[in-house]
Amino acid sequence: IRDRVLAIFIVFLVISWAFDTTDLGATQRRYLHWNYFNHVVMIVIGIGAIAIGEKDFTSYGFTLKKWRSDLSIAVICLISASGYIPSLISPSIAGNRLINTLFIIAAVLLALWLVLNKKDEGTAEKPGLRVFWFVLLIPVIIAGVLGVAGFEIIASTIVFQFYFAGFGEEILFRGYFQSRLNEDFGRPWRIKGVSFGPGLLITSVLFGVLHVLNPFNPLMGKFELDLLWGISSFFGGLLFGFLREKTGTVLSASLGHGLLDLGQVIPLLF
């Protein structure tokens, strides 16, 4: 299983590097400002791998039965955005990536502590899916209004960070990778009543590596690495991984990831 996870991770990297070399890749960067294609690939790979393996999607955390409690715990991730406040109010901190990264990690760890200490809401809820879909559409409604008003970059950022980064990355990493690795290694450890295992840590490392390689593309002659982004992303992976284990759903991690990204990125665009 672990070899299959690593192979899928490498295949994804090669696909993303190859696409970036195409005219479509350049067009995407020019007009959409974010890499939508790669995150669509994440969704396709994650869901496709589960389907090909004839696995039960519910056992991989794909359920909406507890969406209200998933949303309530995911909102805690907004606290992680406080890590960017020092850089917004102090130019000296904004210009120092190491200090900036340390603030972000501290804020993520605070959010993780709150997640682990949040009381379990217990019984499953009635889905109330009409309300869920309305809540899920709020970011795209806001983005639509901003787009019409001429703020295209901000509108695209909202859509990309909440839906594509939040759900795309979590479907692959916490939905497929972490679930598959849990099958291999089990979840022998507990903290604050939450069972987890090496799968959470390995997935977080892969998540960090993904972000280390963000500026890297050997097919385009780009060999730069972003170690600080990778380190902060590793801690973000821990937060999303524990959300996945605590709630048993991918939705909580997806919502938390999307909200965290929005909270961190949007203030920097103004």
Side-chain angles (χ1 to χ4, degrees), residues 75-196:
V75 168
I76 294 174
C77 292
L78 282 170
I79 292 172
S80 301
S82 64
Y84 269 86
I85 293 176
S87 66
L88 293 174
I89 62 179
S90 172
S92 61
I93 293 178
N96 190 318
R97 286 201 64 206
L98 176 58
I99 294 178
N100 203 20
T101 299
L102 291 175
F103 274 114
I104 293 169
I105 291 173
V108 169
L109 290 176
L110 173 60
L112 175 57
W113 182 82
L114 292 171
V115 164
L116 290 173
N117 283 277
K118 190 177 189 301
K119 292 183 178 180
D120 190 351
E121 298 186 8
T123 58
E125 315 151 5
K126 294 181 180 179
L129 292 182
R130 289 184 180 178
V131 178
F132 167 74
W133 291 119
F134 173 75
V135 171
L136 197 65
L137 284 173
I138 290 175
V140 79
I141 293 171
I142 295 172
V145 172
L146 290 171
V148 171
F151 299 97
E152 292 87 359
I153 295 179
I154 298 176
S156 181
T157 298
I158 291 174
V159 171
F160 175 80
Q161 296 294 349
F162 186 77
Y163 297 105
F164 288 82
F167 285 81
E169 293 178 12
E170 294 311 307
I171 285 172
L172 181 59
F173 281 85
R174 258 57 63 175
Y176 181 69
F177 287 166
Q178 188 165 316
S179 299
R180 289 293 283 172
L181 290 169
N182 282 345
E183 292 178 4
D184 196 5
F185 293 103
R187 299 189 299 162
W189 308 324
R190 287 176 68 85
I191 182 171
K192 294 292 184 177
V194 179
S195 297
F196 70 104

